[in-house]
Amino acid sequence: MIKYSILVFFALFTCFSVHSQEIEQVAPGVFKITYGTPDTFTPSSFREEAPKDDALAKLPAPVLPFDLSAINISKNSRGIVLNLPLTQNEQLYGFGLQIGSFNQNGLKKRPIVNDYPLNNLGYTHAPLPYYTSNKGYAVLVNTSRYTTFYCGANQLKNRPEAESSKKQETVLSAEELYEIKPGKSDGEVVVDIEGAEGIEVFVFAGPSMSNAIQRYNLFAGGGALPALWGLGVKYRVKADFHQKDVEETAAYMREHKIPVSTLGLEPRWQTAAYPCSFVWNEEFFPDPEQMIGDLAKNGYQINLWEHAFVSNQSPLYEPLYEKSGDYLGFYGLVPDFADEAVRGIFSDFHKTNLVDLGVTGFKMDECDNSDLTHGSAHWSFPEHSSFPSGINGEQMHQLFGLLYQKSIYSIFKEENLRTYLDVRSSNAFASPYPASLYSDTYDQQEYVRMIANSGFSGLLWSPEVRESGSFRELARRTQTAVLSAQTLFNSWYLQNPPWLQYDKGKNNAGELLPEAAANEAVIRKLLNHRMSLVPYLYSAFYHYHTEGTAPFRGLVVDYPNDENVWKIDNEYLIGTDLLAAPITNEAMEREVYLPAGTWYNFNTNEKYEGNKTYTVSFKLDEVPLFVKSGSILPLAEPVQYIDQSTTFEIKCHIYGDSPRPTNLFLDDGKTFDYQKGNYSLTQLSWKNGKLKNELVHKAKGILDYTFLEPVVID
């Protein structure tokens, strides 16, 4: 193999070897370092899509703040150790869907899949061995082993900056003794991969933090583009509802003008759950095909809850018995999803018995391991499990949610139907999956933090709404859900919609609030805000799909050099032009930092100067949203649901004197035909006081826009 200096390497895009480390450029701005013999079962070995090389090539020329040769990989008695350089004031983010932290500087993170990720240990529903830096790069350690990252927190004794070389002082304060000092670089990130014989490391170059994340998403195959109806509202009904209860709920939503697009059925639709039969329960649902058809005529999609553990009452039990792990999960078979043939058996059954009936999505539960923080939690399979494919229990845990998505998503791809799934676990290279993560945890501040965190790692997150301590809290939770990847109400243990009675016990006893009608009006207005944003959100997802820009992301991604945003985990950007600042729990107001530029309150059009912090309040029926000056914001007249006859009536809001052009994407909303050019792309611009909408691309047989008179906001 020819060896080059690092500068020549960047110029010639070839590969070389340093200390038995092979470095090559595998896509524009994406570099792979290989050491030893990597594992067979890794996130990249199950990638869903090929890299979008053309889109990667359109990004700015790749730049890294360090030489790749500065990354050191070694093997010791434990396994593989990586040492990766840090620069002064470097800020680190990522590690998947972290619930307890945002800025990861100075922390020890161990991203392991877990169903109840508490205590900021790194346990998470999406344990990505991945981080990104405000200095303009991202790193993915391509492993499905339990891996530990020391983010600048430890010091080698032979380093000149080591504390041992300084005069020691006696510290008597516990707070000072154990204090973490984010922002102070100790020179490196250390990664410990126990048991590994080799490793692959992917480095995604900038020059900016945003570019590095784009490269990660595009290398994964591009961001998800869900079915258009998935950007509406999803309402999951009570777990023990009968068919008539579901039909009554659907009628209620339409009668009361609640814009629900998807109804989710919980475990009782099956003859057995925990583990699952995947067979309709005829006692509760005597004619599911007729129900699904009638609901579809009224604009509803149907989503079914399940998990992948197979009951002995299931028709899948016998064909999967020899193709499953040696331990059970929830007393059911654990399919060996690492085997393509097993995924085929599982998906073929779902297609024939469920999707062909008209089911358009699934909620994939319990794929995230038993709670590791409690010794009594052992419903899932152990780490020492073995599977026929050769994958072990530890690796299967880390990849189970990813492989589950792969199995279910294949049904819809083969049918040329798009979907929007729910899932409780994911991993690296999941960007193309139209699946939104959710959690049984219910802390609203953590839910907001996970929206900001999701954008670092190619993930989508649903901060679902269930019961609350007050209607004010319920409204605040709804505001957050409206401004997230999926607006989701989960009433799996509520007889009535939570806005009619937020207290679980009283709700199920039929004791509705005296002010129930007024509360419903507030929720209706919030959900109509969501429906008005659908064209804007759909276009943001299109840019995610084609350019890799996450539709929901922390402020630091777009403002990496602004020290004020380095720790802001309770605000986030939506698309190019919107900034969300949710108010949580019982609060009436909050502090909001607005970055450089001029910003407008979405509800009142009040103008704010950037680089400043403000105390703001939002009414319960408003959305906590700011619009960047220079934006053309296309807002739709709200509709109850989206089908093939929908025409969006768009009223563009013009903010500031010199608005930037923006694009609106639209297709049929349900197939993959956009890949064949069947879509429209409209460029909106503002010239001489008039709105110009120019078709950049147009195809027949798709949904349509009608443009109303624009609104100018000075």
Side-chain angles (χ1 to χ4, degrees):
M1 182 172 293
I2 302 173
K3 297 183 180 181
Y4 295 97
S5 72
I6 194 70
L7 293 177
V8 175
F9 162 66
F10 275 105
L12 298 182
F13 306 121
T14 185
C15 61
F16 63 95
S17 179
V18 177
H19 305 304
S20 74
Q21 298 172 199
E22 181 181 305
I23 305 176
E24 59 181 320
Q25 181 164 249
V26 292
V30 181
F31 307 96
K32 183 175 74 171
I33 306 173
T34 305
Y35 179 95
T37 305
D39 290 331
T40 300
F41 301 104
T42 65
S44 70
S45 64
F46 296 105
R47 25 180 332 130
E48 180 65 21
E49 304 286 351
K52 289 186 178 293
D53 287 338
D54 290 346
L56 283 163
K58 293 178 182 178
L59 294 176
V63 175
L64 288 170
F66 55 81
D67 287 345
L68 289 172
S69 58
I71 298 175
N72 183 64
I73 307 176
S74 59
K75 188 176 186 306
N76 62 20
S77 59
R78 283 176 55 83
I80 297 294
V81 176
L82 280 71
N83 300 79
L84 301 104
L86 288 175
T87 57
Q88 191 65 34
N89 289 322
E90 189 167 342
Q91 308 299 309
L92 303 181
Y93 305 86
F95 302 114
L97 196 68
Q98 289 296 312
I99 187 171
S101 59
F102 179 70
N103 186 304
Q104 310 296 348
N105 283 49
L107 299 180
K108 172 186 175 182
K109 302 300 290 190
R110 190 163 164 79
I112 297 177
V113 66
N114 190 23
D115 79 329
Y116 210 67
L118 300 177
N119 303 321
N120 198 21
L121 300 171
Y123 298 167
T124 164
H125 296 289
L128 273 69
Y130 160 98
Y131 65 89
T132 185
S133 165
N134 72 324
K135 296 298 184 181
Y137 69 95
V139 173
L140 172 70
V141 181
N142 187 31
T143 182
S144 56
R145 295 179 182 271
Y146 294 169
T147 301
T148 305
F149 292 78
Y150 299 86
C151 302
N154 294 80
Q155 305 154 347
L156 286 169
K157 68 178 182 180
N158 61 350
R159 292 290 177 89
E161 70 274 15
E163 292 298 320
S164 59
S165 65
K166 300 177 182 178
K167 182 179 179 181
Q168 302 297 306
E169 302 288 345
T170 300
V171 177
L172 300 179
S173 163
E175 291 78 9
E176 185 179 358
L177 178 63
Y178 296 109
E179 180 185 9
I180 294 174
K181 299 177 180 178
K184 178 183 177 183
S185 172
D186 286 315
E188 61 184 6
V189 172
V190 182
V191 187
D192 176 25
I193 315 166
E194 188 175 0
E197 296 293 327
I199 196 64
E200 290 177 337
V201 180
F202 291 97
V203 180
F204 304 90
S208 70
M209 185 180 191
S210 177
N211 293 150
I213 295 170
Q214 284 179 275
R215 290 193 202 276
Y216 167 74
N217 289 325
L218 291 171
F219 187 67
L225 184 59
L228 182 56
W229 49 258
L231 299 183
V233 179
K234 180 180 289 181
Y235 185 90
R236 308 201 69 85
V237 301
K238 195 167 185 281
D240 60 0
F241 267 17
H242 289 67
Q243 181 170 328
K244 66 178 181 60
D245 299 315
V246 176
E247 293 168 341
E248 288 173 2
T249 299
Y252 179 92
M253 298 300 178
R254 293 289 178 258
E255 180 183 350
H256 289 253
K257 308 294 183 186
I258 309 297
V260 173
S261 300
T262 303
L263 290 172
L265 308 187
E266 290 291 298
R268 187 65 79 173
W269 74 267
Q270 300 179 64
T271 55
Y274 293 94
C276 292
S277 69
F278 314 102
V279 175
W280 285 99
N281 183 338
E282 293 183 359
E283 178 186 351
F284 279 71
F285 293 88
D287 195 343
E289 186 171 9
Q290 182 233 327
M291 177 193 71
I292 294 170
D294 289 347
L295 290 174
K297 293 174 185 176
N298 212 1
Y300 286 106
Q301 312 293 325
I302 293 297
N303 177 291
L304 298 181
W305 174 97
E306 64 170 41
H307 62 226
F309 304 128
V310 180
S311 166
N312 59 13
Q313 300 178 43
S314 172
L316 282 170
Y317 188 81
E318 185 175 343
L320 290 180
Y321 187 84
E322 299 296 337
K323 299 178 182 297
S324 58
D326 57 348
Y327 283 84
L328 302 178
F330 268 124
Y331 303 102
L333 300 179
V334 183
D336 186 357
F337 281 146
D339 183 344
E340 184 178 2
V342 173
R343 297 196 300 271
I345 294 169
F346 194 83
S347 62
D348 287 348
F349 180 89
H350 280 68
K351 175 192 177 302
T352 301
N353 295 280
L354 301 171
V355 174
D356 285 353
L357 264 63
V359 172
T360 53
F362 294 89
K363 174 182 177 180
M364 299 174 283
D365 204 359
E366 312 293 11
C367 52
D368 50 3
N369 203 357
S370 314
D371 183 5
L372 299 176
T373 64
H374 290 84
S376 59
H378 48 75
W379 52 260
S380 196
F381 55 92
E383 277 80 356
H384 61 266
S385 298
S386 62
F387 292 82
S389 66
I391 194 171
N392 63 42
E394 175 182 322
Q395 295 169 318
M396 181 62 91
H397 273 306
Q398 294 289 81
L399 296 176
F400 198 54
L402 189 75
L403 296 172
Y404 194 178
Q405 292 174 74
K406 189 176 182 69
S407 178
I408 293 295
Y409 186 42
S410 68
I411 307 168
F412 296 96
K413 289 180 71 177
E414 291 172 6
E415 292 294 296
N416 193 29
L417 289 173
R418 302 219 306 278
T419 183
Y420 204 12
L421 307 167
D422 308 80
V423 70
R424 218 168 77 177
S425 175
S426 196
N427 207 297
F429 297 114
S431 308
Y433 290 111
S436 190
L437 289 145
Y438 65 96
S439 176
D440 284 349
T441 63
Y442 203 51
D443 183 282
Q444 193 183 358
Q445 291 177 328
E446 292 176 343
Y447 272 20
V448 172
R449 180 182 299 122
M450 285 193 277
I451 299 176
N453 273 335
S454 66
F456 298 123
S457 309
L459 303 169
L460 303 173
W461 162 248
S462 298
E464 65 182 25
V465 183
R466 302 199 295 266
E467 87 291 350
S468 297
S470 67
F471 179 69
R472 183 190 299 169
E473 180 193 336
L474 182 79
R476 296 302 190 200
R477 288 184 176 276
T478 303
Q479 290 171 342
T480 302
V482 162
L483 300 178
S484 73
Q486 180 180 226
T487 301
L488 170 61
F489 285 86
N490 189 359
S491 295
W492 71 278
Y493 51 53
L494 296 176
Q495 183 73 26
N496 301 286
W499 53 84
L500 302 181
Q501 174 56 266
Y502 52 81
D503 180 88
K504 176 182 175 182
K506 293 180 179 179
N507 185 304
N508 291 327
E511 300 176 21
L512 303 187
L513 293 165
E515 62 274 18
N519 291 351
E520 185 168 270
V522 170
I523 300 300
R524 182 187 301 111
K525 185 174 180 181
L526 289 175
L527 298 184
N528 280 332
H529 280 310
R530 171 67 176 204
M531 299 308 292
S532 73
L533 287 168
V534 164
Y536 175 84
L537 293 173
Y538 198 48
S539 298
F541 271 94
Y542 170 73
H543 289 295
Y544 182 38
H545 180 67
T546 57
E547 300 171 7
T549 302
F552 297 84
R553 58 194 184 276
L555 270 59
V556 68
V557 175
D558 288 43
Y559 303 92
N561 298 318
D562 184 346
E563 295 187 18
N564 296 298
V565 307
W566 287 354
K567 297 181 184 179
I568 293 181
D569 61 357
N570 60 359
E571 302 175 30
Y572 52 91
L573 299 169
I574 306 175
T576 304
D577 302 318
L578 300 180
L579 185 154
I583 295 179
T584 57
N585 303 322
E586 294 284 337
M588 293 297 294
E589 61 184 23
R590 61 159 291 172
E591 285 192 347
V592 173
Y593 174 78
L594 297 174
T598 301
W599 298 84
Y600 295 81
N601 184 312
F602 174 84
N603 309 278
T604 65
N605 297 329
E606 183 179 356
K607 189 186 296 187
Y608 296 85
E609 182 182 347
N611 289 323
K612 291 185 178 181
T613 299
Y614 301 88
T615 299
V616 299
S617 62
F618 297 98
K619 299 176 182 177
L620 296 185
D621 62 357
E622 295 178 335
V623 282
L625 199 59
F626 295 87
V627 187
K628 193 173 185 178
S629 181
S631 302
I632 300 176
L633 180 62
L635 296 176
E637 290 296 309
V639 295
Q640 292 295 293
Y641 57 88
I642 300 162
D643 63 13
Q644 291 309 106
S645 64
T646 300
T647 295
F648 290 100
E649 294 184 339
I650 301 291
K651 183 177 289 187
C652 289
H653 291 234
I654 314 299
Y655 293 88
D657 297 329
S658 302
R660 302 171 296 278
T662 190
N663 289 331
L664 264 181
F665 170 80
L666 195 60
D667 66 342
D668 62 17
K670 68 175 188 176
T671 74
F672 293 91
D673 289 354
Y674 67 88
Q675 296 175 346
K676 304 173 184 177
N678 294 330
Y679 65 91
S680 73
L681 197 62
T682 303
Q683 185 179 76
L684 304 176
S685 58
W686 183 255
K687 295 181 180 179
N688 301 321
K690 293 184 178 181
L691 179 69
K692 183 177 181 181
N693 51 287
E694 180 181 359
L695 278 171
V696 179
H697 182 90
K698 175 67 175 177
K700 295 181 180 179
I702 60 174
L703 303 179
D704 207 356
Y705 291 126
T706 296
F707 289 95
L708 306 177
E709 192 68 22
V711 177
V712 179
I713 299 163
D714 295 326

